[in-house]
C-alpha cells in the first residue's frame, strides 16, 4: 500500500459495530485496516464485504489488551506505511457480574481491554497524527457509561473512563488539528447483546422511546459523520445513539 493511502484503522473490525464501521468508512473512500483477536475468518469476511463494494481492506491480529503488541503493530503496520486519517477505538468486551462478587481478574481484564487498550491505541495514533497535523479519533463508549448498569461495574467504569479520555485528548490534540470524539451506543444488535435472554431484551426495549434496538449501521453512520469534513469543528463530544434510552 502507498505511504499516502488514506487509511482508517478500526480495532475489533471483525464483527458487529466494527465491521459496519469498516464497510461504511470504505464507502467514504478510506482504505480500512481492521483488527481482531479471536480468529481471522470473521475479519477476512469484513475485508471481503469491503472489497465487494469496491474498497480496500486488510485484517491484522492485535490483542488490544497487550501493550507491547499495540506498540509493535503501530510501528510495523502504520507508522511510515500509511496516512492514518481515522482511528476508531471500537474493540471491547464484557464480563458481567455483581460488584461484590467481581473477581480481581474480571475487573482488570475489562479495564485492560476497554480502557487501557483504547488509550494505548489512541496514544500511538496521536503520535502519528501529530506529525501529519491532522486526524480523527473516535472512541466507542456506551450508554451504560452515562447511566450505570447493575452487573457491569467493570465495563461501565471503563467506558466512562473513555469519555474522560476523549475530553482530555480533544484538548491536548486540538492544536494539531486532531479531533477526538466519543460515540455512546445504546442497545445495538450484535454478538455482544445476542446472548441476553428474552426477558432482559424486552426490559431494555421497553426503555427505548423509539421502541427498537439499534443496528451496527446506525453507529457506523455516526462514526462516518465524525470522520467527515462536515464534522471538522466537533471535538471533545459524546454523541449518544440510543433511540432516546437512558437507563
Ligand atoms: P462484538 O460484536 O462482541 O465485537 C467485538 C469486537 O471487539 C470483535 O471484533 C472482537 O474481535 C474485538 N475484540 C474483543 N476483545 C478484543 C481484544 N482484546 N483485542 C482486540 N479486539 C478485541 O461487539 P459490538 O457489539 O460490535 O461492540 C463494539 C463496541 O461497541 C465495543 O466497544 C462495545 O463495548 C461497544 N458497545 C456495544 C453496544 C451493543 O449494544 N452492542 C452498546 C454500547 C457499546 P474478535 O472477533 O476477534 O473476537
Amino acid at each position: 500500500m502507498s505511504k499516502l493511502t488514506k487509511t482508517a484503522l478500526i480495532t475489533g473490525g471483525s464483527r458487529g459495530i466494527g465491521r459496519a464501521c469498516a464497510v461504511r468508512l470504505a464507502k467514504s473512500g478510506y482504505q480500512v485496516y481492521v483488527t481482531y483477536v479471536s480468529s481471522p475468518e470473521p475479519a477476512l469476511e469484513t475485508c471481503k464485504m469491503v472489497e465487494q463494494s469496491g474498497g480496500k481492506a486488510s485484517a491484522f491480529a492485535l490483542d488490544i489488551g497487550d501493550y507491547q503488541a499495540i506498540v509493535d503493530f503501530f510501528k510495523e503496520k502504520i507508522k511510515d506505511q500509511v496516512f492514518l486519517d481515522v482511528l476508531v477505538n471500537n474493540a471491547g468486551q464484557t464480563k458481567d457480574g455483581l460488584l461484590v462478587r467481581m473477581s480481581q481478574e474480571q475487573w482488570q481484564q475489562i479495564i485492560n481491554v476497554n480502557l487501557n487498550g483504547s488509550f494505548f491505541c489512541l496514544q500511538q495514533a496521536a503520535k502519528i497524527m501529530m506529525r501529519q497535523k491532522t486526524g480523527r479519533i473516535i472512541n466507542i463508549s456506551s450508554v451504560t457509561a452515562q447511566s450505570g448498569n447493575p452487573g457491569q461495574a467493570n465495563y461501565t467504569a471503563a467506558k466512562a473512563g473513555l469519555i474522560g479520555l476523549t475530553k482530555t485528548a480533544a484538548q491536548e490534540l486540538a492544536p494539531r488539528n486532531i479531533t477526538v470524539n466519543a460515540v455512546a451506543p445504546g442497545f445495538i444488535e450484535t454478538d455482544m447483546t445476542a446472548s441476553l435472554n428474552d426477558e432482559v431484551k424486552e426490559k431494555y426495549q421497553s426503555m427505548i422511546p423509539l421502541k427498537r434496538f439499534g443496528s451496527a449501521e446506525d453507529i457506523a453512520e455516526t462514526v462516518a459523520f465524525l470522520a467527515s469534513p462536515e464534522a471538522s469543528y466537533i471535538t471533545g463530544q459524546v454523541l449518544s445513539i440510543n433511540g432516546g434510552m437512558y437507563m
Side-chain angles (χ1 to χ4, degrees):
M1 294 288 182
S2 155
K3 192 173 171 176
L4 294 175
T5 306
K6 282 167 69 89
T7 300
L9 168 63
I10 301 122
T11 65
S14 48
R15 296 183 277 126
I17 291 170
R19 172 180 283 174
C21 289
V23 171
R24 179 61 187 82
L25 288 170
K27 280 188 189 144
S28 294
Y30 298 100
Q31 160 188 230
V32 292
Y33 277 14
V34 296
T35 71
Y36 63 92
V37 69
S38 319
S39 66
E41 286 78 17
L44 293 172
E45 180 60 27
T46 300
C47 294
K48 207 165 122 191
M49 289 167 76
V50 167
E51 281 153 12
Q52 278 167 352
S53 52
K56 280 185 186 167
S58 305
F60 303 91
L62 173 63
D63 180 356
I64 65 153
D66 180 341
Y67 172 73
Q68 196 54 49
I70 292 172
V71 172
D72 292 345
F73 171 77
F74 275 84
K75 190 171 163 204
E76 288 160 20
K77 307 292 183 198
I78 305 290
K79 191 180 169 210
D80 300 329
Q81 306 294 318
V82 295
F83 191 96
L84 184 63
D85 288 274
V86 181
L87 165 67
V88 185
N89 257 327
N90 166 76
Q93 285 178 9
T94 54
K95 210 169 193 183
D96 298 351
L98 293 174
L99 68 91
V100 288
R101 292 199 208 119
M102 190 168 283
S103 67
Q104 187 185 23
E105 184 272 334
Q106 205 174 350
W107 170 265
Q108 284 175 343
Q109 181 188 332
I110 295 309
I111 297 291
N112 192 41
V113 170
N114 294 279
L115 181 58
N116 298 353
S118 296
F119 171 69
F120 292 125
C121 288
L122 181 151
Q123 185 182 48
Q124 293 299 315
K127 288 180 189 177
I128 293 166
M129 290 174 175
M130 283 171 81
R131 277 198 302 276
Q132 295 174 173
K133 297 191 175 58
T134 185
R136 301 289 171 90
I137 298 173
I138 299 152
N139 296 319
I140 307 297
S141 179
S142 170
V143 65
T144 61
Q146 300 160 313
S147 61
N149 195 24
Q152 291 197 312
N154 49 3
Y155 180 77
T156 54
K159 293 296 189 182
L162 269 184
I163 291 177
L165 170 63
T166 298
K167 290 181 178 289
T168 295
Q171 291 173 49
E172 285 194 26
L173 301 177
R176 298 295 181 101
N177 193 30
I178 299 162
T179 67
V180 187
N181 290 290
V183 172
F187 190 111
I188 308 300
E189 289 189 294
T190 66
D191 292 349
M192 189 174 271
T193 47
S195 59
L196 297 173
N197 67 41
D198 287 347
E199 197 185 327
V200 173
K201 284 185 184 169
E202 275 166 30
K203 188 188 110 195
Y204 282 132
Q205 192 153 359
S206 72
M207 294 157 75
I208 303 171
L210 284 177
K211 294 292 169 217
R212 67 170 176 88
F213 297 136
S215 67
E217 288 71 25
D218 288 325
I219 306 306
E221 285 300 333
T222 304
V223 166
F225 168 66
L226 288 171
S228 73
E230 288 74 16
S232 66
Y233 201 54
I234 301 175
T235 197
Q237 303 305 306
V238 183
L239 267 71
S240 298
I241 315 299
N242 60 22
M245 172 175 75
Y246 285 95
M247 291 193 281

